[in-house]
């Protein structure tokens, strides 16, 4: 009899050793849900809905848009214009005063009040007739009569190339001092006033010179 050694025990086929677990036979969620009663399922769904609603209520509110700044009216100097409309009265040697016409227009925005109009050169005095201030509404034009007189000829340019008017403009936005510059017809008409007042001696001045001549004799 040949020896074959001890007989090794054979593991049964259902032994847990040597097998890899690749899955689980635990009941799936859908199966468990189907096994629940309708009342339990309804209660569960209601609780879930309440939880979602509460979570939404406690979410931070989105940032609100910054308030829009109100649109400011335009600066009065940006919407106001002056245009020369000719001579209403010319000066004479006996009365060195002339009246000039100007049209004032406002393009947009609130009404603009025009005041403190000055002739621009030392030795000239300007006065509006009949009022010292004029209010012009947007889209309209107002004509004014500006009386300019010569109070002194010393230092006056008798042939100004670009005469100007200094004015004060006011609307709801601001008060501005502004200069309007002219050429062409207004420059020639103003030059005529200056020559009339400063080149031609007044009757009183001639009389004074005659009296001085008599005293010298």
């Amino acid at each position: 009899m040949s020896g074959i050694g001890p007989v090794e025990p054979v593991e049964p086929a259902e032994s847990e050793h040597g097998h890899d677990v690749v899955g689980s036979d635990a009941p799936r969620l859908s199966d468990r849900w189907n096994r629940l009663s309708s009342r339990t399922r309804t209660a569960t769904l209601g609780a879930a809905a309440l939880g979602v609603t509460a979570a939404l209520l406690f979410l931070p509110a989105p940032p609100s848009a910054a308030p829009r700044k109100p649109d400011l009216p335009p600066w009065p100097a940006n919407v106001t214009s002056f245009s020369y409309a000719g001579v209403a009265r010319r000066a004479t040697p006996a009365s060195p005063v002339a009246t000039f016409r100007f049209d004032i227009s406002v393009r947009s925005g609130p009404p603009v009040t025009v005041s403190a109009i000055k002739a621009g050169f030392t030795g000239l005095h300007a006065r509006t007739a009949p009022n010292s201030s004029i209010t012009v509404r947007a889209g309209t034009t107002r004509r004014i009569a500006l009386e300019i007189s010569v109070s002194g000829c010393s230092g006056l340019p008798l042939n100004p190339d670009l005469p100007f008017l200094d004015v004060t403009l006011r609307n709801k936005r601001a008060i501005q001092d502004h200069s309007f510059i002219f050429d062409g017809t207004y420059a020639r008409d103003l030059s005529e006033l200056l020559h009339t007042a400063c080149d031609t001696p007044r009757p009183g001045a001639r009389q004074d010179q005659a009296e001085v001549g008599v005293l010298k004799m």
Side-chain angles (χ1 to χ4, degrees), residues 66-201:
R68 180 181 177 183
K69 294 182 178 179
D71 294 333
L72 294 175
W75 296 95
N78 292 345
V79 295
T80 306
S81 61
F82 268 65
S83 59
Y84 180 57
V87 179
R89 185 184 67 179
R90 297 187 181 276
T92 65
S95 178
V97 179
T99 302
F100 304 92
R101 293 186 294 253
F102 293 89
D103 290 334
I104 307 174
S105 301
V106 174
R107 293 189 298 276
S108 61
V112 176
T113 298
V114 183
S115 61
I117 302 178
K118 300 178 181 179
F121 296 110
T122 301
L124 295 181
H125 176 72
R127 184 177 69 89
T128 56
N131 300 319
S132 59
S133 63
I134 304 96
T135 299
V136 186
R137 297 183 179 276
T140 65
T141 299
R142 290 282 303 275
R143 175 164 292 185
I144 64 169
L146 186 65
E147 184 181 274
I148 298 179
S149 59
V150 179
S151 58
C153 294
S154 177
L156 272 178
L158 300 186
N159 298 296
D161 292 331
L162 297 172
F164 57 95
L165 298 178
D166 292 329
V167 303
T168 298
L169 305 173
R170 182 178 75 252
N171 68 359
K172 291 182 178 180
R173 174 73 180 272
I175 299 176
Q176 292 181 289
D177 292 325
H178 190 71
S179 295
F180 291 96
I181 302 175
F182 304 89
D183 58 5
T185 305
Y186 177 62
R188 292 191 295 271
D189 290 342
L190 181 62
S191 179
E192 179 184 331
L193 165 64
L194 299 179
H195 280 284
T196 300
C198 300
D199 287 348
T200 305

Side-chain angles (χ1 to χ4, degrees), residues 21-26:
V21 178
V22 296
S24 174
D25 290 334

